[in-house]
C-alpha cells in the first residue's frame, strides 16, 4: 500500500469503520475481520484433539472416515451464525480464508490432519456458485492450505449435472440422492490421505457422499474438516 492509498484507507475507516464479522462492533487498528473479544469467546470445538468426538461418531456405521473435526460449534442466533451469514450471503470470501488460517494454526501440530497430501473442498452447486461468485468451502480450504502448506485440489471431486437434475425429480432419500450427485475423477492422482472440507456440517449426508466418491478412486484416508458443526 502506498502513502496515498494508506491515507485514503484511514480516511475511509473514519467514515466506514471496519466491523467485527461476528459481533458487529467496530474494530481497532490491529484487529482484522474479528475483534479480540470474539476471538477469545468463539465456541471452539477442539475436536481435532478428541478422536472420538461427536462429529466423528456421526459417521460411524455410515462411511469409513479417518478423522473428523470442525472449528466451531454453530450456535443458532450467535456469533458463528453471523459470520457464516457474512461468508455465504454478503460477499465476504475473506472470512472463510481467515477462519482457515486460524484453524490451520491449530491443525498444523495435529495428527493426522497435518499429514494429508491434498485439501479438497466440497463442490458448490453450479447455480449457487454463479450467484455467490465463490465457493465458501474453497475459501476456507485456501486459508488452511496457506498455513498447512498442503495444496487445494478442485479438479478431482465434482457434481454430476445429469444426476443432479435427475435427483431433483426423484423421491428417494436425501442420502441416496446425494450419493449419485458427487463423482470423483481418477486422473492418475497419487493421494492416499486428504482433508475433505465443508462449511457448516449438519447431517453429514453431503460429506458421506463425497467420501464414498473419493474412496472409489482409491483415496483411503478421508479426514473431514468443517468450519462449523451443528450438534
Ligand atoms: Zn466481535
Amino acid at each position: 500500500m502506498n502513502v496515498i492509498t494508506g491515507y485514503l484507507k484511514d480516511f475511509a475507516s473514519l467514515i466506514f469503520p471496519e466491523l467485527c464479522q461476528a459481533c458487529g462492533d467496530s474494530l481497532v487498528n490491529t484487529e482484522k475481520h474479528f475483534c479480540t473479544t470474539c476471538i477469545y469467546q468463539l465456541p471452539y470445538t477442539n475436536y481435532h484433539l478428541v478422536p472420538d468426538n461427536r462429529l466423528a461418531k456421526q459417521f460411524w456405521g455410515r462411511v469409513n472416515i479417518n478423522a473428523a473435526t470442525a472449528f466451531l460449534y454453530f450456535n443458532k442466533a450467535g456469533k458463528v451464525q453471523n459470520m457464516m451469514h457474512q461468508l455465504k450471503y454478503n460477499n465476504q470470501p475473506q472470512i472463510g480464508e481467515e477462519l482457515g488460517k486460524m484453524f490451520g494454526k491449530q491443525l498444523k501440530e495435529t495428527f493426522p490432519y497435518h499429514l494429508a497430501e491434498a485439501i479438497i473442498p466440497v463442490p458448490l452447486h453450479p447455480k449457487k456458485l454463479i450467484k455467490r461468485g465463490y465457493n465458501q468451502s474453497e475459501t476456507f480450504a485456501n486459508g488452511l492450505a496457506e498455513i498447512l502448506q498442503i495444496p487445494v485440489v478442485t479438479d478431482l471431486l465434482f457434481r454430476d449435472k445429469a444426476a443432479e437434475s435427475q435427483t431433483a425429480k426423484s423421491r428417494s432419500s436425501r442420502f441416496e440422492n446425494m450419493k449419485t450427485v458427487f463423482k470423483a475423477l481418477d486422473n492418475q492422482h497419487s493421494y492416499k490421505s486428504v482433508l475433505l472440507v465443508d462449511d457448516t456440517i449438519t447431517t453429514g449426508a453431503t460429506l458421506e457422499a463425497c467420501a464414498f466418491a473419493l474412496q472409489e478412486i482409491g483415496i483411503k484416508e478421508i479426514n473431514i474438516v468443517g468450519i462449523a458443526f451443528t450438534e
Side-chain angles (χ1 to χ4, degrees):
M1 191 183 332
N2 65 33
V3 178
I4 293 171
T5 53
Y7 278 133
L8 283 174
K9 194 166 180 271
D10 284 348
F11 182 65
S13 70
L14 286 176
I15 311 164
F16 307 108
E18 278 188 59
L19 304 179
C20 170
Q21 301 298 331
C23 72
D25 282 356
S26 298
L27 296 179
V28 298
N29 278 347
T30 49
E31 295 169 341
K32 224 181 153 195
H33 308 300
F34 308 116
C35 72
T36 313
T37 311
C38 282
I39 287 176
Y40 276 105
Q41 291 179 347
L42 284 174
Y44 301 105
T45 69
N46 286 312
Y47 278 173
H48 58 293
L49 305 174
V50 187
D52 292 345
N53 62 65
R54 292 177 72 163
L55 172 59
K57 282 182 183 172
Q58 225 185 49
F59 295 100
W60 290 5
R62 292 166 66 185
V63 61
N64 193 8
I65 293 296
N66 194 45
T69 186
F71 190 33
L72 302 161
Y73 288 110
F74 185 94
N75 44 345
K76 283 224 161 76
K79 292 178 174 182
V80 178
Q81 194 189 25
N82 291 344
M83 65 170 78
M84 294 309 284
H85 184 88
Q86 293 295 322
L87 170 62
K88 287 173 75 171
Y89 306 112
N90 207 17
N91 192 26
Q92 304 258 34
Q94 69 278 11
I95 294 176
E97 211 169 310
E98 180 65 18
L99 292 170
K101 283 190 219 166
M102 286 162 71
F103 201 23
K105 284 172 193 159
Q106 296 184 13
L107 295 182
K108 205 171 166 63
E109 313 293 330
T110 315
F111 179 87
Y113 302 97
H114 69 306
L115 296 177
E117 299 145 314
I119 304 178
I120 301 179
V122 170
L124 193 62
H125 190 285
K127 277 186 187 163
K128 284 187 182 167
L129 188 60
I130 289 167
K131 203 173 166 196
R132 194 167 295 154
Y134 55 91
N135 174 353
Q136 70 279 4
S137 299
E138 193 175 330
T139 66
F140 181 60
N142 289 338
L144 288 168
E146 191 178 322
I147 303 297
L148 295 171
Q149 294 291 302
I150 301 169
V152 176
V153 175
T154 56
D155 59 357
L156 271 189
L157 186 64
F158 65 98
R159 283 174 179 261
D160 186 316
K161 274 183 202 152
E164 202 123 45
S165 61
Q166 274 300 311
T167 58
K169 295 171 203 153
S170 120
R171 286 164 180 254
S172 45
S173 75
R174 183 170 154 80
F175 173 61
E176 283 308 318
N177 285 345
M178 281 292 176
K179 213 174 166 183
T180 60
V181 165
F182 292 99
K183 301 263 156 56
L185 268 182
D186 190 4
N187 62 355
Q188 297 181 326
H189 71 90
S190 59
Y191 306 124
K192 290 279 165 280
S193 176
V194 300
L195 304 184
L196 176 60
V197 170
D198 202 0
D199 56 343
T200 305
I201 304 173
T202 48
T203 64
T206 305
L207 287 164
E208 185 182 353
C210 290
F212 267 114
L214 292 172
Q215 283 167 350
E216 266 177 20
I217 60 161
I219 298 175
K220 291 199 172 66
E221 291 184 7
I222 312 284
N223 304 283
I224 284 167
V225 181
I227 303 179
F229 174 51
T230 310
E231 280 185 293

